[in-house]
Amino acid sequence: MRVLLVEDDDGVADALVEALRAHGHQPTRVSRGADALIAHRDADVVLLDLGLPDEDGLEVLRKLRKVDTQPVLVLTARGDERTVVRGLRLGADDYLVKPVRLAELLARMDAVVRRSAARSAAPDDIVRVSDVEIDLERRRVSVGGEEISLTTKEFELLAVLARRPGTAVSRQQLMDEVWGDAFVAVSRSLDVHLTGLRSKLRRPGLLTTIRGFGYRLGD
């Protein structure tokens, strides 16, 4: 795939470019945020450092998300929870803290590109994650071929996550889409319904909690 690497450290950039080429990718490296806002058009995925010389990488991410939906994987030394959460809320598809193992980076790149392709394809009324099948039109859910019964709110929460499989969805967004207003919805109600949903799905690990941010359905 065509990879845009936004990295100001020459040593890190050279090593990543060499590794990406060795694995069959076509990397292009820029060191400034301003250049990334131009070069991103020709890339399949963007690897974005946050410590850039001309502007903060989070601001670059915010600007990118205004004009494009292509996958962006933040690759940075900043691992504090506040920055990770902010990066995800601004639209990062994934977030990796340096130093990162090459095998993990390549796997994450494949995953975000695959999820992006799935989102851009024609919408499907039936979503399958592992052996869980979610029929969004008929409001039916089956696990291992056996239909399960969900409450209205449980299904609506699952549907919001199922429309974005593999993508982090914030608590605020869940409450806004299910209850109509994230500021009116009671956070405790979200927790109660998610607990019930997890119990009925009987698939530990299928619904992942992202600490300080929200939830993700599937890998």
Side-chain angles (χ1 to χ4, degrees), residues 179 181-186:
W179 278 272
D181 191 334
F183 295 101
V184 172
V186 179

Side-chain angles (χ1 to χ4, degrees), residues 10 29 46 50 53 67-68 78 94 105-106 115 118 126 133 156 166 174 187 191-193 215 218:
D10 291 336
R29 182 255 179 140
V46 177
L50 299 185
V67 297
D68 211 329
R78 297 188 207 169
D94 209 337
L105 173 61
L106 294 171
R115 292 199 299 263
I126 298 179
E133 182 175 288
E156 289 174 354
L174 279 168
S187 183
D191 296 329
V192 169
H193 286 94
Y215 306 89

